[in-house]
Amino acid sequence: MPAVPGTQPRLSETAQHVVRRFTYGYNLRLEADVLRHSGVDAWFESQLARHPDPAADAVLSWFPRLKDTPSRAWANARSEAYSGWQYGDDLVKYSLVRRVVATNQVHEMMVDFWSNLLHIPAGEGLSFPWRLHYDTHAIRPHALGTYRALLRAAVTHPSMSGYLSNHRNTKTLINENLGRELLELYTVGRRAGYSEADVKSSARLLTGFTVAIEKDFGAGYDPALHHVGPVKVMDRTFTNAAADGRAELNAYLDWLAMRPETATRIARRLCVRFISDDPPQSSVDAVQKAYLASGSDIKACLRVLVRDPGFLASKFKKARTPAEDVVATQRACDIVPTGAGKDSHVDAFSWLCSWIGQAPFSWPRPDGSPEQSDTYLSPARLLRSWTTRSWAANAGEKVTKATRPLPRDLVPPVWPLPLKDLVHHQAVMMTGRRATAETVAGVATLLDKPATHVFSAEWERNEGHMTWMLTLIRTAILSAPEAMLR
């Protein structure tokens, strides 16, 4: 019997591990991209460099309302022509499709990571007119840059001012919201020991920014609203002598970004996302050291993390979040959206994220969704995840405004074909690795056939039967415990 092509992994175990952690899921296009490079290290460096990604960029055109100016978006919401919730829903779908189709997978992963750390809910009433701009001008350009630059861009953005009430923060009426979250969530954290007086001082440095909330949402800076005079935060005094306090604010943000406490918090959060829920302290220390030595360079941190012994030893120790699970399933089944709109496939898989437990950009507090895997591992989530995968794995299911392979294109052109080889072929195609012995045995039980059962060429010509069999096999592979692990 001839060897069945496609039943052996083409990527090393290390390469598979890097791909599982730093992308939204395996597919043959991703495998080909890795193999074009001299090794996974070269692929990772190429990902850090970022290249043009026209397929991902083109997705924005599917959601023309997202290009509305802030004033137009507010007018549409006010007249009920298009609500803030609808703008938010478009942003969610746009972001999810990018994760499915993007070639720059590491960048998309880091956009998600920083969007979660510097979280602004999509569709929130005081920030939605500027929310896409926050994504395209604050988060995306800096997701692989420095945290110092990212912090500046995010904290001073009109969407952040609206969400955390900084538009109400003036020299005569201090609003502490953004000043507090800047210290607590975005930089040093509560363990740094700052006081209530420090929070107020932090807020004073943030005065002057304006957003015409519930008018035309025009944004700017008014020196007349800025608090002038010395301000002390923890152990540093800022002279804050100029009416235009933006230069002093930038100095403050840079100082916070480079505090050791900030470096530790960012390092730990990166390690929780990419290593394990309880990462080794040595890994956190290594990333923290790289952060401080590089001036908060995100690429430097990721290079250290991906080579760290703790990372290399963490195979299959992180579960995908519900949203990652849905996107990874789309990629594994090679379902590629081609457009949006009513009853489109984008509508369906966006809804599935919420259904199994995590609607993107919907966390109700500014601290962002938990990064720990165990947050999402309830019995209800697992049951709904299995159902979701069975829908996606249905090789004969038609999709609207999307493409998927035909059933006959999913099987190798080698006959006769043993069941166990077919299982391994499907596993390698969808996950990059062979099925475990338990999965092979499970599929054999599911089909009521021995693993050694041999399919003839006649089976391939009976498309209905073949499609049904493939759906069961692919569902079993995607629902195996290791398939939901990163």
Side-chain angles (χ1 to χ4, degrees):
M1 187 173 295
V4 177
T7 57
Q8 296 295 331
R10 299 181 69 196
L11 301 183
S12 69
E13 286 192 15
T14 297
Q16 290 178 39
H17 178 48
V18 172
V19 162
R20 279 195 301 273
R21 290 296 166 86
F22 282 96
T23 76
Y24 280 98
Y26 179 89
N27 60 27
L28 294 180
R29 288 187 300 280
L30 175 60
E31 177 191 84
D33 191 29
V34 176
L35 291 173
R36 274 195 292 270
H37 296 81
S38 57
V40 71
D41 289 345
W43 172 82
F44 194 73
E45 279 299 318
S46 176
Q47 287 281 302
L48 295 183
R50 288 183 62 194
H51 299 286
D53 208 338
D57 293 340
V59 173
L60 185 57
S61 66
W62 303 357
F63 304 96
R65 293 288 195 179
L66 287 179
K67 297 179 183 179
D68 288 345
T69 64
S71 61
R72 169 50 58 191
W74 171 245
N76 285 338
R78 192 176 179 186
S79 67
E80 299 183 355
Y82 214 70
S83 69
W85 179 88
Q86 287 173 296
Y87 280 103
D89 191 48
D90 281 354
L91 177 67
V92 168
K93 292 172 183 174
Y94 161 69
S95 301
L96 286 172
V97 176
R98 286 194 68 110
R99 295 172 194 177
V100 173
V101 305
T103 300
N104 292 328
Q105 283 283 299
V106 174
H107 182 249
E108 291 300 320
M109 182 69 72
M110 294 310 298
V111 167
D112 178 36
F113 177 84
W114 297 120
S115 294
N116 196 39
L117 175 66
L118 299 157
H119 174 59
I120 300 176
E124 191 274 332
L126 303 184
S127 60
F128 80 87
W130 283 98
R131 187 57 180 80
L132 176 69
H133 192 275
Y134 180 72
D135 178 271
T136 58
H137 287 70
I139 302 296
R140 287 187 176 278
H142 301 291
L144 288 171
T146 67
Y147 188 62
R148 291 168 62 185
L150 174 58
L151 187 68
R152 282 190 185 190
V155 168
T156 62
H157 195 275
S159 194
M160 184 69 80
S161 284
Y163 176 49
L164 291 180
S165 309
N166 202 51
H167 65 288
R168 297 175 181 160
N169 184 25
T170 69
K171 66 182 181 183
T172 58
L173 189 62
I174 296 296
N175 185 293
E176 299 177 16
N177 265 10
L178 183 53
R180 185 182 303 277
E181 306 302 5
L182 172 60
L183 292 170
E184 180 179 335
L185 298 180
Y186 309 151
T187 58
V188 295
R190 283 184 244 178
R191 291 185 181 181
Y194 58 83
S195 66
E196 181 64 20
D198 292 325
V199 170
K200 290 179 179 178
S201 293
S202 180
R204 289 186 179 101
L205 288 165
L206 287 160
T207 54
F209 291 92
T210 64
V211 185
I213 298 294
E214 297 183 341
K215 295 178 182 176
D216 64 359
F217 276 81
Y221 187 87
D222 185 352
L225 301 178
H226 174 62
H227 170 88
V228 176
V231 170
K232 184 177 181 181
V233 181
M234 295 189 287
D235 57 1
R236 170 119 177 223
T237 298
F238 297 85
T239 57
N240 193 36
D244 186 333
R246 284 176 287 188
E248 195 77 320
L249 174 62
N250 284 338
Y252 172 54
L253 294 174
D254 289 351
W255 174 73
L256 285 175
M258 293 309 300
R259 293 276 303 194
E261 302 96 329
T262 302
T264 298
R265 294 187 73 249
I266 296 297
R268 178 166 181 77
R269 195 172 178 110
L270 283 167
C271 289
V272 169
R273 166 67 76 100
F274 294 110
I275 295 181
S276 69
D277 286 0
D278 186 19
Q281 187 59 45
S282 59
S283 302
V284 176
D285 292 344
V287 177
Q288 191 247 25
K289 183 179 179 181
Y291 179 100
L292 291 173
S294 66
S296 77
D297 185 82
I298 296 162
K299 294 177 186 176
C301 293
L302 296 182
R303 288 186 183 106
V304 167
L305 191 155
V306 80
R307 294 179 176 89
D308 184 80
F311 173 79
L312 297 173
S314 69
K315 296 180 179 69
F316 299 111
K317 290 185 179 179
K318 282 290 288 187
R320 290 189 173 102
T321 67
E324 289 173 341
D325 197 348
V326 171
V327 174
T329 300
Q330 302 300 308
R331 288 174 59 84
C333 295
D334 201 18
I335 303 173
V336 182
T338 57
K342 186 178 179 181
D343 298 327
S344 66
H345 182 69
V346 172
D347 277 358
F349 85 81
S350 172
W351 174 80
L352 286 172
C353 294
S354 303
W355 189 65
I356 69 172
Q358 188 193 28
F361 305 139
S362 67
W363 191 252
R365 302 192 308 258
D367 57 346
S369 301
E371 294 284 1
Q372 288 80 5
S373 296
D374 60 7
T375 305
Y376 307 99
L377 296 181
S378 68
R381 179 264 165 103
L382 293 177
L383 180 61
R384 290 186 173 191
S385 291
W386 293 334
T387 303
T388 296
R389 295 187 202 117
S390 71
W391 290 340
N394 187 341
E397 183 75 17
K398 293 182 179 180
V399 288
T400 304
K401 293 187 178 180
T403 62
R404 69 179 308 154
L406 296 171
R408 61 168 45 90
D409 294 331
L410 296 174
V411 296
V414 176
W415 308 100
L417 180 62
L419 172 58
K420 63 180 180 180
D421 284 347
L422 179 59
V423 175
H424 287 309
H425 177 273
Q426 296 300 299
V428 170
M429 177 186 292
M430 293 192 294
T431 71
R433 57 190 184 276
R434 285 168 67 84
T436 63
E438 292 81 5
T439 298
V440 173
V443 170
T445 300
L446 180 66
L447 300 183
D448 194 24
K449 297 179 184 296
T452 55
H453 174 81
V454 176
F455 293 103
S456 69
E458 293 297 321
W459 175 77
E460 193 265 348
R461 287 194 281 271
N462 186 343
E463 188 163 326
H465 186 61
M466 178 186 68
T467 299
W468 176 70
M469 287 280 202
L470 280 176
T471 298
L472 294 178
I473 292 169
R474 290 162 74 83
T475 298
I477 292 167
L478 291 174
S479 297
E482 65 275 6
M484 70 178 294
L485 298 177
R486 289 174 48 232

